[in-house]
């Protein structure tokens, strides 16, 4: 674009022509600057009203001045006629003045003198370079010399609009702006013409009728003495916005089910919690229901993750059908869903909603030709206007879900103060248990495994963890082990028990070697969880612990439940085979309570079976020829199976003389239970060993 020097150095004329058809002589001077007066040799005010053809004569007779355009800047070669009749070769650049009321059109004429050729050539070269750069740029570019009409566009803009560049120059490009966006663009152009830089997003409709989102950046371009225009770039951002919209959608939605995700759920809850604190009216109370599928891991493990995904998609569809249009169904992750429902203003409404959800989940799901029946546990939290945040609401719903699962699953639980109290107590116990483990403050007691008799002889020991809380006293093992499972503390608990048991056994072995103990156990048994077995480096860790205590792997028996085996049979077999090959013993604990006991025996290296206490509890002697009922039959089958496979057999949970008589009659060579001894702390166990390890039955488990 051509830039002139100050108006005092560059000859400038303003000319006009009637809007009605008129001869060339009708183009007359309306204003002239001092430089123009010097060029023509006439005072500036005497130039006014002279015919332009008297001052500027078309060279070679060509009608250049007739070609003055109303739409764009024009350039023509003319001779300037001085007052003395001298002709001076010049070039005129004409800008149309924006249309205004009146009967005439106006142009601003800038006269380039021969002595300015060098400077003008440099300016034209710079302009040409700019024009070449803009023309070849992939970014659509527009130029207006005066007002809003375009004087130049590049190929990229022409391609965006779908019209040739020559058809766009001089046109009102604003007609391509979508109607409801046009006023905003006109306002932006007005600001640019007043000297501002403006950036805005708008929509253009191309020649084919397609609407494209564009980012328009306009910068003012002013030539002193001529008027204001602009230079602009127009970037097509339609595809970018589409990607951004997709990313925004993905950031707020679960990709598998299309439901709102955890982030969107928390934002929705934040909006609800930010509402004015006045009590909502009838039918407006909001409840949050967390739905957790019961035992969903079985679907994933048994049928594969693709089948699990299909189940989640179907459950999501059903849940969406149980709520009203204004309610929210979200999937924060895993097999959990959260419903935010209005109108839960009494317990009946809560129960009805929870029942609809439970029924929706219970309906059979078709997957891979199978009909699956699932159940769910639901935790309900009512938004009562308290100051808690969205994270706390979701946490509380999770607490209520855990209560529902602990009660057996397939039901719903409303969070109340009792539930909150139990949850707080559980959180405190988890923190205290973690601290106790870090300090080695979890005790290990030992229950003797004996050869039954009168008296019975101690053969080996089972190490059992016990925890005495400094304020709450003894915590039942079932309680703190469940907490350890929820807090992922089981591997640490297993490692602690193993280390203490190996250390104590080594101490007793040393005392026996020194003559202080007449008897030491053949080995110590420790329970191993599925999580520990699956952990990388478990076998190496066991070796280090045993060797560090100065023992051999043959001094150790690893007890694994059938439940642990069911979680990952292949991994369990690999680890147990490795340790057993180096001397460790392996026992299956709670045998008979699993689903595939024979399969485990076939695939696993096993030394002992432990008959579960649930069978021993119901054992009784034969009455009138009937051999003790189903429990005795199961126990007899387990003993027979063990003998056939050459395995040792231990009966757990023996508490009565009658049970003891039955297991001895069945051929169990080892028993453990309160009939002979409760689990003993290490000091009491050492005293027992000093006495030769002999135990006399205590009917009904009395004493210890």
């Amino acid at each position: 674009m051509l830039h002139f020097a100050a108006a005092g150095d560059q000859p400038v004329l303003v000319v006009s022509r009637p809007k009605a058809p008129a001869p060339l002589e009708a183009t007359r001077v309306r204003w002239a600057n001092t430089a123009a007066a010097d060029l023509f040799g006439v005072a500036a005010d005497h130039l006014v009203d002279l015919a332009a053809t008297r001052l500027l004569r078309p060279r070679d007779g060509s009608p250049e001045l007739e070609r003055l355009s109303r739409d764009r800047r024009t350039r023509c070669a003319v001779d300037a006629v001085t007052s003395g009749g001298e002709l001076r070769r010049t070039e005129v650049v004409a800008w149309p003045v924006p249309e205004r009321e009146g009967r005439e059109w106006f142009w601003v004429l800038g006269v380039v003198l021969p002595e300015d050729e060098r400077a003008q050539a440099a300016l034209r070269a710079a302009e040409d370079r700019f024009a070449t750069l803009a023309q070849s740029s992939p970014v659509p570019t527009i130029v207006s010399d005066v007002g809003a009409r375009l004087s130049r566009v590049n190929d990229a803009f022409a391609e965006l609009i779908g019209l040739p560049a020559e058809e766009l120059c001089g046109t009102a490009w604003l007609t391509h702006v979508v109607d409801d966006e046009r006023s905003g663009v006109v306002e932006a152009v007005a600001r640019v013409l007043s000297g501002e830089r403006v950036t805005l997003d708008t929509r253009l409709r191309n020649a084919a009728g397609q609407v494209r989102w564009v980012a328009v950046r306009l910068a003012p371009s002013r030539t002193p003495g001529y008027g204001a225009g602009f230079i602009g770039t127009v970037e097509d951002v339609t595809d970018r916005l589409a990607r951004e919209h997709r990313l925004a959608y993905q950031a707020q939605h679960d990709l598998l089910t299309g439901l709102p995700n955890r982030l969107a759920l928390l934002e929705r809850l934040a909006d609800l919690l930010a509402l004015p604190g006045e009590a909502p009216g009838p039918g407006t109370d909001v409840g949050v229901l967390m739905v957790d599928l019961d035992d969903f891991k079985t679907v994933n493990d048994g049928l594969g993750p693709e089948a699990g995904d299909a189940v989640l998609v179907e459950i999501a569809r059903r849940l969406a059908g149980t709520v009203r249009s204004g309610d929210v169904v979200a999937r924060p992750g895993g097999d959990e869903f959260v419903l935010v429902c209005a109108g839960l203003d009494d317990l009946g409404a809560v129960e009805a909603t929870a029942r609809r959800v439970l029924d929706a989940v219970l309906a059979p799901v078709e997957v891979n030709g199978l009909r699956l029946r699932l159940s769910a546990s639901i935790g309900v939290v009512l938004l009562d206007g308290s100051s808690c945040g969205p994270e706390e609401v979701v946490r509380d719903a999770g607490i209520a879900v855990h209560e529902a699962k602990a009660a057996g699953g397939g039901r719903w639980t409303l969070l109340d103060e009792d539930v909150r109290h139990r949850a707080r107590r559980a959180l405190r116990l988890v923190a205290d248990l973690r601290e106790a483990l870090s300090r080695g403050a979890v005790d290990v007691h030992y229950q003797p495994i004996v050869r039954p008799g009168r008296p019975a002889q101690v053969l080996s020991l089972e190490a059992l963890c016990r925890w005495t809380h400094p304020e709450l006293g003894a915590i039942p093992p079932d309680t703190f082990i469940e907490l350890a499972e929820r807090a992922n503390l089981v591997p640490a608990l297993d490692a602690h028990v193993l280390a203490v048991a190996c250390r104590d056994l080594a101490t007793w072995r040393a005392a026996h070697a020194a003559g202080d103990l007449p008897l030491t156990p053949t080995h110590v048994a420790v329970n191993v969880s599925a999580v520990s077995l699956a952990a990388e480096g478990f076998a190496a860790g066991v070796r280090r612990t045993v060797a560090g205590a100065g023992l051999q792997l043959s001094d150790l028996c690893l007890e694994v439940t059938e439940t642990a085996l069911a979680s990952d049979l292949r991994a369990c077999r690999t680890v147990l085979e490795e340790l057993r090959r180096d001397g460790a013993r392996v026992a299956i604990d709670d045998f008979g309570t699993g689903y595939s006991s024979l399969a485990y025996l076939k695939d696993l290296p096993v030394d002992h079976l432990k008959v579960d206490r649930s069978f021993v509890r119901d054992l009784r002697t034969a009455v009138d020829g009937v051999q003790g009922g189903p429990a005795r039959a199961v126990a007899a089958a387990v003993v027979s199976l063990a003998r056939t496979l050459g395995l040792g057999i231990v009966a757990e949970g023996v508490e009565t003389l009658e049970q003891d008589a039955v297991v001895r009659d069945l051929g169990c060579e080892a028993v453990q239970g309160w009939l002979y001894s409760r689990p003993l702390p290490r000091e009491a166990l050492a005293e027992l060993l000093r006495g030769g390890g002999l135990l006399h039955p205590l009917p009904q488990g009395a004493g210890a």
Side-chain angles (χ1 to χ4, degrees):
M1 178 176 171
L2 186 59
H3 291 273
F4 293 92
D9 299 326
Q10 181 72 46
V12 176
L13 300 173
V14 175
V15 302
S16 69
R17 177 189 298 167
K19 293 182 179 179
L24 181 61
E25 291 75 9
T27 303
R28 294 186 172 273
V29 177
R30 298 306 180 195
W31 178 85
N33 67 352
T34 302
D38 292 342
L39 171 63
F40 296 109
V42 180
D45 56 345
H46 291 169
L47 290 174
V48 175
D49 210 32
L50 291 179
T53 53
R54 180 175 173 180
L55 301 172
L56 301 171
R57 182 178 301 171
R59 192 174 301 162
D60 301 327
S62 60
E64 293 284 358
L65 293 179
E66 290 184 346
R67 298 176 181 174
L68 295 180
S69 172
R70 289 301 307 158
D71 298 325
R72 64 182 71 87
R73 184 188 64 174
T74 55
R75 187 191 298 266
C76 54
V78 298
D79 291 330
V81 183
T82 68
S83 59
E86 179 186 359
L87 298 180
R88 298 185 64 178
R89 297 177 64 87
T90 63
E91 189 176 57
V92 171
V93 181
W95 280 269
V97 176
E99 189 171 332
R100 58 185 183 180
E101 295 182 1
R103 299 180 178 181
E104 294 181 304
W105 283 317
F106 287 80
W107 288 264
V108 176
L109 306 183
V111 183
V112 181
L113 301 174
E115 53 267 30
D116 297 331
E117 283 186 7
R118 180 176 299 177
Q120 186 60 39
L123 288 172
R124 280 200 299 269
E127 182 184 27
D128 291 342
R129 286 194 296 271
F130 171 79
T132 300
L133 178 64
Q135 193 64 33
S136 60
S137 172
V139 179
T141 304
I142 57 177
V143 176
S144 170
D145 292 326
V146 178
R149 290 183 179 272
L150 302 181
S151 59
R152 185 176 302 168
V153 301
N154 69 350
D155 292 341
F157 183 78
E159 183 179 351
L160 174 64
I161 298 300
L163 292 173
E166 55 269 21
E167 291 188 26
L168 291 170
C169 290
T171 64
W173 65 283
L174 295 175
T175 60
H176 297 287
V177 178
V178 173
D179 293 346
D180 56 359
E181 304 268 0
R182 193 170 300 150
S183 61
V185 176
V186 169
E187 179 184 350
V189 171
R191 290 165 54 198
V192 173
L193 295 178
S194 67
E196 295 185 40
R197 289 177 175 268
V198 175
T199 299
L200 74 154
D201 292 332
T202 189
R203 290 174 292 158
L204 297 180
R205 180 175 284 105
N206 62 19
Q210 297 175 326
V211 174
R212 309 292 293 179
W213 275 100
V214 293
V216 181
R217 299 172 181 84
L218 301 176
S221 173
R222 180 178 296 275
T223 302
Y226 290 85
F230 59 80
I231 299 174
T233 60
V234 183
E235 181 185 0
D236 187 347
V237 295
T238 307
D239 295 337
R240 188 192 75 194
L241 289 178
R243 288 193 300 271
E244 290 175 354
H245 290 159
R246 284 197 300 272
L247 290 174
Y249 178 87
Q250 292 171 2
Q252 294 275 324
H253 290 79
D254 168 48
L255 298 184
L256 176 64
T257 63
L259 295 176
N261 61 12
R262 182 179 181 85
L263 176 62
L265 170 66
L266 294 177
E267 289 183 357
R268 174 58 176 158
L269 290 175
D271 291 342
L272 290 172
L273 294 170
L275 293 175
E278 297 180 3
T284 62
D285 289 352
V286 176
V288 177
L289 290 76
M290 178 174 286
V291 182
D292 192 317
L293 300 181
D294 296 331
D295 200 23
F296 181 72
K297 187 176 184 296
T298 302
V299 177
N300 265 341
D301 293 345
L303 300 179
E306 291 184 0
D309 288 349
V311 170
L312 292 175
V313 171
E314 173 60 18
I315 295 300
R317 185 192 65 79
R318 294 181 184 181
L319 294 180
T322 65
V323 299
R324 293 170 293 189
S325 59
D327 297 336
V328 174
V329 179
R331 182 191 175 214
D335 59 341
E336 290 181 349
F337 299 86
V338 173
L339 285 63
V340 182
C341 303
L344 305 186
D345 49 1
D346 58 40
L347 191 59
V350 173
E351 182 173 6
T353 302
R355 179 52 56 191
R356 285 201 309 273
V357 172
L358 291 174
D359 291 344
V361 175
L362 280 172
V365 180
E366 296 279 350
V367 179
N368 295 343
L370 300 175
R371 287 172 60 85
L372 304 180
R373 287 190 176 273
L374 304 174
S375 64
S377 299
I378 301 176
V380 183
V381 174
L382 298 179
L383 302 187
D384 56 4
S386 63
S387 59
C388 66
E391 290 279 5
E392 287 76 11
V393 171
V394 175
R395 179 205 64 196
D396 287 349
I399 292 172
V401 163
H402 178 74
E403 288 291 316
K405 284 185 174 295
R411 65 193 67 206
W412 65 277
T413 297
L414 177 65
L415 185 75
D416 55 22
E417 282 307 312
D418 288 341
V419 174
R420 286 183 189 274
H421 174 73
R422 288 194 295 270
R424 292 192 190 100
R425 184 175 186 273
L427 288 173
R428 177 189 176 187
L429 287 176
V430 166
D432 292 344
L433 177 59
R434 183 177 283 109
E435 172 67 17
L437 281 171
S438 68
R439 294 187 293 103
V442 175
D443 297 326
V444 176
H445 289 193
Y446 301 91
Q447 184 168 40
I449 300 173
V450 303
R451 179 185 297 111
R454 303 292 188 271
Q457 178 69 56
V458 173
L459 298 174
S460 59
L461 307 170
E462 180 179 359
L464 301 167
C465 55
R466 295 292 184 266
W467 181 33
T468 301
H469 192 279
E471 298 177 15
L472 303 177
I475 306 298
D478 289 347
T479 298
F480 71 79
I481 289 175
E482 179 188 359
L483 293 174
E485 290 174 346
R486 289 166 52 187
N488 198 27
L489 293 176
V490 169
L493 198 60
D494 286 351
H496 173 74
V497 173
L498 174 64
V500 173
C502 288
R503 183 193 65 200
D504 288 346
L505 181 60
T507 299
W508 297 325
R509 288 280 174 85
H512 176 67
D516 294 335
L517 290 181
L519 176 73
T520 60
T522 58
H523 62 270
V524 63
V526 296
N527 294 282
V528 181
S529 67
V531 178
S532 295
L533 279 174
E536 185 176 356
F538 171 75
V542 170
R543 287 193 182 90
R544 284 195 302 272
T545 301
V546 172
L551 301 177
Q552 304 293 322
L553 280 177
S554 57
D555 297 320
L556 179 67
C557 179
L558 302 175
E559 292 194 3
V560 187
T561 66
E562 289 194 82
T563 303
L565 295 176
S567 64
D568 192 341
L569 180 60
R570 180 176 299 178
C572 291
R573 180 175 59 195
T574 300
V575 173
L576 294 176
E577 280 180 346
E578 179 183 346
L579 291 172
R580 186 172 182 268
R581 189 168 53 246
D582 293 337
R585 309 165 195 248
V586 176
I588 297 182
D589 199 8
D590 301 336
F591 188 79
T593 60
Y595 298 102
S596 304
S597 303
L598 293 179
Y600 296 146
L601 291 179
K602 176 175 65 71
D603 292 333
L604 280 173
V606 177
D607 296 287
H608 303 282
L609 300 182
K610 300 189 76 171
V611 181
D612 184 65
R613 65 184 64 248
S614 62
F615 299 120
V616 173
R617 181 181 60 243
D618 296 330
L619 289 178
R620 52 190 175 85
T621 55
V623 178
D624 297 331
V626 178
Q627 296 299 312
R632 181 185 178 109
V634 172
V638 172
V639 173
S640 177
L641 177 64
R643 285 176 175 170
T644 301
L645 297 176
L647 304 177
I649 187 77
V650 179
E652 295 184 291
V654 176
E655 297 182 357
T656 68
L657 292 172
E658 186 176 26
Q659 293 169 352
D660 183 62
V662 173
V663 296
R664 283 195 295 161
D665 183 56
L666 292 176
C668 290
E669 66 268 23
V671 299
Q672 70 180 99
W674 287 7
L675 178 66
Y676 292 100
S677 175
R678 298 190 181 209
L680 303 174
R682 65 173 61 88
E683 296 81 5
L685 196 282
E687 288 298 321
L688 174 62
L689 296 177
R690 287 191 186 95
L694 299 177
L695 289 167
H696 295 276
L698 300 173
Q700 304 303 319

